[in-house]
Amino acid sequence: MEGQPHASFQVYLRLRPPYHQSPRKSNGETFLTVLPPVPTASDQDIEYGTKTQVTIHPPSNHRSQKIETFSFTEVFEDTCGQADVFGRIVAPILEGVLQDGRDGMLATLGVTGSGKTHTILGNRQARGMTQMSLDVLFRSLSDRISKLSESQIDQCNDADAEIMDADAFMTKVTSVIEPHHIPKPNTFPTKPSVDPYVVQCPGPASTKYAILMSIYEVYNDKIFDLLAPSNAARRKALLFKSSRSSGDRKVVTGLRKVMVTNLYDALQVMGVGQYQRSHGETGSNDKSSRSHCFISLELKKLKKNKLDGSTKIKESTFTIVDLAGSERARNAKTAGDRLAEGGHINKSLMFLGQCLELSTAQSLGHTPKVPYRQSKLTELLFTNSYNPAAEPQIAAIVVTADPAGDFNATSQMLKYSALAKSSVNPRPPTVMSGRSASGSSLFSHFSVASGITEERPDSALSALSAVSSHRAMLSQDMVNMIILLQRQLKEADEKIKAAEKKAEEADARCLEIEMQVREEVTSDMELRMSMMEKRMLLKLQDQAEKEEIHVDHKLDILKRTLMETNDENDRVRDMEIEEYVRELEAENNSLRNEVQALKRKRANGESPLKERSLNRLKF
Ligand SMILES: Nc1ncnc2c1ncn2[C@@H]1O[C@H](COP(=O)(O)OP(=O)(O)OP(=O)(O)O)[C@@H](O)[C@H]1O
């Protein structure tokens, strides 16, 4: 993937003893159980003592009772000392740096007070990974150690560094810091021994090595040089940018780098760095690291060309990182600057968590992009010692945890750092006994059953019998586990059935309510309709009445008009009749006159024609 670092981490879990000089109050109840080694398919592959899994059991008053299992490359129990951690984790990385020229990185990650600084720097009794690494480095290189010449410095200084030897450095530093503040290396513990880890460096005796040491911190998302002491207010943040020699690689520029040639000088330089580092007292730790501290050991392999006398420089870097601890403001009881620091620390660790999860996914063949550019810390961790020209770096993260510490913070830390995780719901309390506080954990029982592996039998016979008894116990556990799982399945089944029944009942009730609602709505509608109907009817009646009155009125008018018309007609007819009568009367009178005249004529003996006319008149 272009532009993506190749870093894939081995992730170890280290448990700290639950008491050790910690001001933190704890009720002593542990929530974390280490599981026995997981047996593989073939007996020969059983690796005694390589424990890789832990389970966490939430305290009884916790809202979730889920039992979670986390897998790591290896789990170091609280009985493991600094030598165990060095031998299993750091020595192989150093071997890669010294023999193969690979970059290496070791980081500690954990909740505040869980033992990160203790792992990296040790205490008065036992030295830490840094001192032991320096010891291995100087002992392995011994008389091959050299200083860089001016021209070699120019040749390999691609980060505008201020490179100086240890004497010049101490002179400069003691002009700023009171010498008595710098711890004297001869007061440091010399144990544990690193004798078994001294390595043979390859190449002829003429091949020399120079070691450049730099120490810097990421404080509030800014990089500060811890070997260039200055007034806190005038501290200048350093840039992290592409190197001059390789465009892909990014380096912290302007660092002070000290050429160290022996363990004493290196320890003194370390003392200066430690003195300069930002510390503070919190409610969780009386000397809490308030920054992420990077100790960088650059190895310059100087290979001389016999023909032209030039020197070829091959570089590899071993970086040790002591991360600040995540903390909950409530527990840390911080305020002001301390609270703001805590915010920066938690934010950068959250980004680191995301990057770790995604880089684990990448190593499993998925292809998510690791968003390492979100903070200075992730940028430094994922790119600083990544040299594209060399082999991919060997990187290990030691997650430190206090099994009796803050459950929430620790489980959160385990969640994002573990290589794999799984969880089971709480099981019924009666199946088997165990040694956890609640006495009910399946995995605690596993631990009891596997106690034999911790004895490491010497003879082949006892090993064989231990294996078979171990296997017998494991198979008994398997049977118990199957019974438990069956019971849990049955319970889950019953719960599903009950839930289904409830869902059916709820459906039926919904249907019932729906019907009720429908009925109510329908009757309401009907009521409204009938009211509307009534209103319409009344309106129609009213209208009809009005129409009737109107029609009556019209009829009246018509009647009157008719009557008036009839009267007129009558009058006209009367007049006509009268006229007619008058005419008839007139005619009658004329006829009567005529008759009279005829009668008179007849009487006077006049013609019959006149008689006929007289008959016609009678008729
Ligand atoms: N494995 C251990 N064995 C003995 N003592 C331990 C162990 N781990 C931690 N301690 C002690 O616990 C205390 C807190 O540890 P330490 O300062 O290393 O925590 P831390 O994780 O670096 O905390 P912070 O993030 O606050 O700096 C110290 O006194 C340390 O000596």
Side-chain angles (χ1 to χ4, degrees), residues 14 81-83 85-87 90 94 106 108 115-136 188-194 263 267 270 295 318 320:
R14 182 180 194 189
Q82 302 288 75
V85 176
F86 185 84
V90 191
L94 277 175
L106 168 77
T108 49
K116 297 180 295 299
T117 307
H118 174 83
T119 303
I120 296 292
L121 298 172
N123 57 15
R124 282 173 202 277
Q125 288 77 43
R127 46 189 188 171
M129 300 307 119
T130 315
Q131 297 92 326
M132 292 163 86
S133 301
L134 287 168
D135 200 359
V136 168
F188 293 175
T190 49
K191 291 219 158 36
S193 152
V194 290
L263 182 61
L267 294 178
M270 235 183 77
I295 302 170
F318 179 45
I320 301 172

Side-chain angles (χ1 to χ4, degrees), residues 346-589:
N346 288 345
K347 201 164 136 194
S348 57
L349 290 173
M350 186 191 79
F351 290 140
L352 172 61
Q354 284 177 3
C355 293
L356 281 178
E357 276 183 330
L358 291 170
S359 79
T360 304
Q362 255 188 13
S363 63
L364 293 174
H366 304 285
T367 52
K369 270 200 150 194
V370 179
Y372 61 91
R373 290 209 171 89
Q374 294 175 109
S375 73
K376 280 281 167 321
L377 172 69
T378 47
E379 256 195 305
L380 282 167
L381 281 179
F382 282 78
T383 62
N384 189 26
S385 50
Y386 162 62
N387 181 354
E391 297 263 341
Q393 66 171 338
I394 333 161
I397 291 187
V398 180
V399 179
T400 52
D402 179 356
D406 180 336
F407 172 79
N408 287 322
T410 310
S411 66
Q412 195 61 32
M413 183 62 67
L414 297 180
K415 257 178 212 143
Y416 74 67
S417 57
L419 294 172
K421 44 201 166 238
S422 64
S423 64
V424 288
N425 281 324
R427 67 194 192 100
T430 50
V431 177
M432 56 185 83
S433 64
R435 69 174 171 193
S436 73
S438 64
S440 65
S441 159
L442 167 72
F443 300 110
S444 309
H445 187 75
F446 246 132
S447 302
V448 173
S450 66
I452 195 148
T453 60
E454 289 159 13
E455 290 166 14
R456 294 178 183 254
D458 293 329
S459 73
L461 205 61
S462 61
L464 211 60
S465 83
V467 170
S468 53
S469 95
H470 184 196
R471 288 183 67 185
M473 288 170 118
L474 282 176
S475 34
Q476 183 53 46
D477 275 337
M478 287 299 175
V479 172
N480 288 340
M481 193 196 257
I482 289 164
I483 294 169
L484 167 70
L485 289 176
Q486 279 172 342
R487 195 175 281 193
Q488 282 178 339
L489 263 177
K490 205 173 150 203
E491 271 179 18
D493 244 14
E494 278 163 12
K495 275 186 191 155
I496 291 168
K497 273 184 196 144
E500 278 172 357
K501 202 172 159 215
K502 273 191 183 162
E504 271 170 22
E505 281 170 9
D507 269 358
R509 179 91 190 101
C510 279
L511 210 64
E512 206 176 292
I513 291 170
E514 194 184 319
M515 298 295 286
Q516 264 178 18
V517 171
R518 278 178 192 277
E519 272 169 26
E520 278 169 20
V521 170
T522 313
S523 67
D524 189 47
M525 283 288 285
E526 278 172 358
L527 190 71
R528 277 163 195 262
M529 290 288 282
S530 80
M531 280 168 73
M532 271 170 67
E533 216 171 302
K534 270 183 194 158
R535 272 205 299 273
M536 287 289 286
L537 217 59
L538 283 172
K539 219 170 171 180
L540 282 174
Q541 275 176 0
D542 192 38
Q543 214 167 337
E545 272 171 20
K546 280 183 185 161
E547 291 279 323
E548 211 171 312
I549 292 168
H550 184 69
V551 168
D552 280 355
H553 184 67
K554 290 260 179 187
L555 278 174
D556 274 355
I557 295 171
L558 192 65
K559 215 171 170 183
R560 268 202 308 277
T561 315
L562 271 176
M563 277 169 72
E564 278 170 12
T565 313
N566 280 350
D567 286 354
E568 185 64 26
N569 286 349
D570 283 356
R571 211 157 41 87
V572 170
R573 211 174 60 218
D574 283 356
M575 278 169 71
E576 280 174 357
I577 290 169
E578 270 173 34
E579 181 68 32
Y580 188 55
V581 168
R582 263 196 310 273
E583 275 176 19
L584 284 176
E585 275 174 356
E587 197 180 0
N588 203 20
N589 281 340

